[in-house]
Amino acid sequence: MREARVDQASGLRQLFGAMSWRRPVCFLAPDPALAKAGVLSLADGLASYGIAATVDGRDGTHDAPGLRLFDDPRRLDAAARIAGGIDLVVQGSADPDGITDLYRNVKRVAGAHRIDRLAIMLTGSVETRTGERCRVNLASALERFLGARVDAWAALGAGRVLRRAAQVGASVQSLDREGDESREFDRLAGHLAGGLTPRMEPASH
């Protein structure tokens, strides 16, 4: 497994190492601190595949080449205009009210930018069938009314490490490198970097 990971990282470095990433990635969350922890965690996940990413707002990153990560959609305008679109990761809770808020947030960003790839990251636990029904309904509504197809789903369970990371301004991996939430961020980073892992589809009945 380790050798496979090394081979994947080497291939991605060859593919992306000498070129600018085409689209900026925005991580949208209900709270700015969660969004900041989200982009830091995506950056660490990409680093695990040997891909460097810069987080918007850090000193010296304004004109940095390669993948740009944003935690504030209001700062996307120039990068999104140059790239012709964005990749969007939206974090929210798995309950019905949280799903409604997720749709509203995606709609707001879709009104300003073309979304090339969309990933949904859910936290919180609800009854299994309720959660699956919410995910199916959300995916259907996003594609039908906004033309935004969900390319990847991620689940953080209770999201305790993400909340702790938000409190201290760090990445999830820096607090619990081998934990489930770290692995989920790594998996999502691999998807953004070229689909190294299988897509996680919402179940339907």
Side-chain angles (χ1 to χ4, degrees), residues 2-188:
R2 175 179 170 79
E3 291 180 358
R5 180 67 168 234
V6 170
D7 289 343
Q8 290 171 341
S10 176
L12 283 174
R13 279 195 297 272
Q14 292 177 27
L15 181 60
F16 296 112
M19 62 183 292
S20 295
W21 198 280
R22 192 169 71 84
R23 294 179 300 269
V25 177
C26 182
F27 191 99
L28 192 61
D31 180 84
L34 287 171
K36 176 64 73 177
V39 295
L40 293 174
S41 302
L42 284 178
D44 277 3
L46 288 162
S48 74
Y49 291 105
I51 297 174
T54 57
V55 176
D56 179 67
R58 287 185 172 179
D59 292 341
T61 64
H62 181 71
D63 297 317
L67 175 58
R68 296 275 301 280
L69 301 174
F70 292 80
D71 60 13
D72 185 347
R74 295 172 298 181
R75 295 175 60 86
L76 275 170
D77 288 350
R81 184 171 59 252
I82 292 170
I86 66 170
D87 288 343
L88 180 64
V89 180
V90 187
Q91 183 267 321
S93 59
D95 57 89
D97 288 342
I99 294 294
T100 299
D101 290 340
L102 274 168
Y103 178 85
R104 185 181 300 116
N105 289 333
V106 175
K107 182 179 180 180
R108 176 164 53 89
V109 176
H113 305 291
R114 183 169 68 84
I115 300 173
D116 285 334
R117 290 191 296 181
L118 173 63
I120 303 293
M121 176 170 280
L122 297 176
T123 57
S125 57
V126 295
E127 193 270 329
T128 301
R129 289 188 178 180
T130 299
E132 291 173 350
R133 185 166 60 251
C134 286
R135 289 193 293 273
V136 170
N137 290 343
L138 174 63
S140 176
L142 287 170
E143 187 163 8
R144 179 179 179 184
F145 297 113
L146 301 182
R149 182 174 182 269
V150 181
D151 293 292
W153 294 87
L156 296 184
R160 294 187 182 91
V161 183
L162 177 61
R163 289 198 300 271
R164 188 152 52 93
Q167 292 172 352
V168 299
S171 70
V172 165
Q173 293 93 326
S174 68
L175 300 181
D176 185 15
R177 174 65 263 185
E178 301 302 322
D180 291 341
E181 293 181 44
S182 293
R183 287 195 293 270
E184 196 70 346
F185 268 103
D186 290 349
R187 187 188 69 83
L188 184 57

